[in-house]
Amino acid sequence: MTEAGPAPARVLAAGSAWGRVNLLGEHTDYNDGYVLPTVVPLCTIVELAASPDGRYHARSATLSEQAVFDGPDAKTSGFARYLAGCLRALAERGIAVPPVSIAIRSSVPIGSGLSSSAALEVAFLRAVRGLLGLAIDELEIARIAHRAESEHVGVHVGIMDQMASSLGAPGRMLFIDTRSLHFEQLPLPRNCAVLVVDSNHPRNLSDTPYNLRREECRIAARMLGVPALRDVRRIASVSALPAPYSKRARHVVQENHRVLEARTAEAARFGLLMNASHASLRDDFEVSIPALDALVQAMQRQPGVHGARLTGAGFGGACVALVDSTELATARAGTLADYAAAGYRGTAIT
Ligand code: GLA
């Protein structure tokens, strides 16, 4: 990690947050559905110091980039958009953050579908909470972070990533009902570990059809006469929709069922649900790409792997597998070798 610019004079407050990997429940969160993420042992750290000149200074050691802006409404780009978005979301709640110097370092890879943006938002908001002594809990942090990204950065994401980053814990999976925001920490299936490999096909959500998928789901729900696809009771009603709405809705309805079942599933069944999720994301929701399919196949072939799928929005980024704990190292090595044999180069994250 290289340092960009001088270190801040004195750290007044700091916050950190995990990246996340979603085990099951993809593209369900903006349909008021269910998700089952966990955290990856990679994190973002934000330190706040006094501003030298009454402006906001941000520097990312990881990106070797700096930004200076005047306030929440200033025009920003790159990583600074997430910080300004948080300042605006706080301002909407009547919380004014005085100008500060913001130092960021992170081991969460960018564009890998592991929520580097949510980790940055949550870490920054935790640092601000410390600085101002705010009485806001982790759920509130997630809500503010979500508002920052969806309203102020402009990608109309669901709340999964922000809740996973603020409420998730290593070695546990976090079940979330994204309508009620009820959440529960659950154990991973017995004797299991999580393997995450980056496909090295980066993607930026704002350059993908993410918002289009969201819109297709909204139209499908309207055609079905339900507030959200989470409310569809009869899968048969979905088949009557025109393309592509029937396929999009079928994915969401079945994916919600998979999450509900997975909460208490044994490893073997959980793995089958992951495999089914990937097939559905590839064929019905159409958010996979050849590299992700190759990586998932490489994972699924390894002894000890119960199941595998793309994780996050799709279109690139990482894939996840549920693996017998004793086979993690061999499954990792075998996956990288098989993915390489298919003509790609992967990076192991866990
Ligand atoms: C991105 C979004 C999440 C969620 C996933 C797809 O990670 O930030 O809110 O919609 O895509 O499941």
Side-chain angles (χ1 to χ4, degrees):
M1 220 179 258
T2 54
E3 285 292 328
R10 187 167 74 87
V11 175
L12 301 173
S16 65
W18 304 107
R20 73 97 186 89
V21 61
N22 191 17
L23 297 175
L24 212 51
E26 221 62 88
H27 293 276
T28 47
D29 62 352
Y30 54 82
N31 291 295
D32 279 3
Y34 309 107
V35 293
L36 204 51
T38 182
V39 296
V40 284
L42 301 171
C43 80
T44 297
I45 298 168
V46 171
E47 292 174 338
L48 304 180
S51 163
D53 58 5
R55 306 180 80 194
Y56 296 84
H57 291 252
R59 60 189 179 83
S60 163
T62 318
L63 297 174
S64 296
E65 283 177 20
Q66 316 204 32
V68 183
F69 54 98
D70 285 318
D73 296 323
K75 198 165 161 36
T76 46
S77 61
F79 75 98
R81 286 176 305 160
Y82 301 99
L83 304 172
C86 287
L87 293 174
R88 280 175 73 175
L90 286 165
E92 285 164 3
R93 289 167 184 248
I95 301 167
V97 182
V100 277
S101 283
I102 307 160
I104 303 159
R105 56 186 197 277
S106 179
S107 54
V108 186
I110 294 167
S112 299
L114 301 175
S115 291
S116 56
S117 56
L120 174 57
E121 292 149 5
V122 170
F124 178 50
L125 289 168
R126 283 177 170 162
V128 168
R129 175 174 62 188
L131 182 75
L132 303 181
L134 301 173
I136 46 177
D137 65 12
E138 300 311 322
L139 180 58
E140 215 44 32
I141 292 260
R143 283 179 195 261
I144 299 169
H146 176 240
R147 172 121 187 121
E149 185 152 350
S150 58
E151 296 301 317
H152 302 315
V153 179
V155 183
H156 301 300
V157 292
I159 200 168
M160 167 173 69
D161 300 350
Q162 289 76 19
M163 282 186 72
S165 184
S166 71
L167 293 154
R172 314 274 289 168
M173 47 191 198
L174 184 73
F175 168 75
I176 308 170
D177 175 339
T178 65
R179 173 171 279 168
S180 65
L181 299 191
H182 165 81
F183 60 90
E184 239 173 284
Q185 295 281 357
L186 299 170
L188 285 173
R190 206 140 20 103
N191 302 327
C192 280
V194 175
L195 171 64
V196 181
V197 176
D198 191 350
S199 71
N200 284 325
H201 275 249
R203 54 110 191 102
N204 181 336
L205 266 196
S206 44
D207 303 334
T208 70
Y210 182 90
N211 283 344
L212 173 64
R213 289 290 179 279
R214 194 176 169 134
E215 182 59 10
E216 289 167 347
C217 289
R218 197 186 61 77
I219 293 172
R222 205 180 53 206
M223 286 173 167
L224 291 164
V226 290
L229 289 180
R230 178 244 181 82
D231 301 300
V232 174
R233 295 280 165 260
R234 288 178 37 254
I235 189 81
S237 62
V238 161
S239 325
L241 293 176
Y245 307 104
S246 51
K247 289 162 82 168
R248 307 295 188 249
R250 183 167 57 206
H251 166 74
V252 173
V253 173
Q254 293 181 337
E255 186 80 347
N256 276 327
H257 287 151
R258 284 189 278 270
V259 174
L260 292 177
E261 185 184 344
R263 283 180 302 175
T264 52
E266 291 295 330
R269 179 66 191 155
F270 198 114
L272 291 177
L273 294 168
M274 291 175 85
N275 293 344
S277 170
H278 185 77
S280 174
L281 288 160
R282 182 190 59 210
D283 302 336
D284 277 350
F285 217 67
E286 296 180 285
V287 293
S288 192
I289 57 170
L292 295 181
D293 295 338
L295 180 51
V296 166
Q297 275 167 25
M299 288 174 140
Q300 289 169 339
R301 269 203 296 273
Q302 306 309 315
V305 167
H306 299 290
R309 55 187 287 280
L310 68 80
T311 185
F315 315 107
C319 294
V320 62
L322 189 72
V323 191
D324 196 292
S325 315
T326 57
E327 308 262 19
L328 179 61
T330 45
R332 183 191 297 125
T335 296
L336 292 174
D338 286 4
Y339 188 53
Y344 300 99
R345 190 182 54 81
T347 305
I349 305 284
T350 62

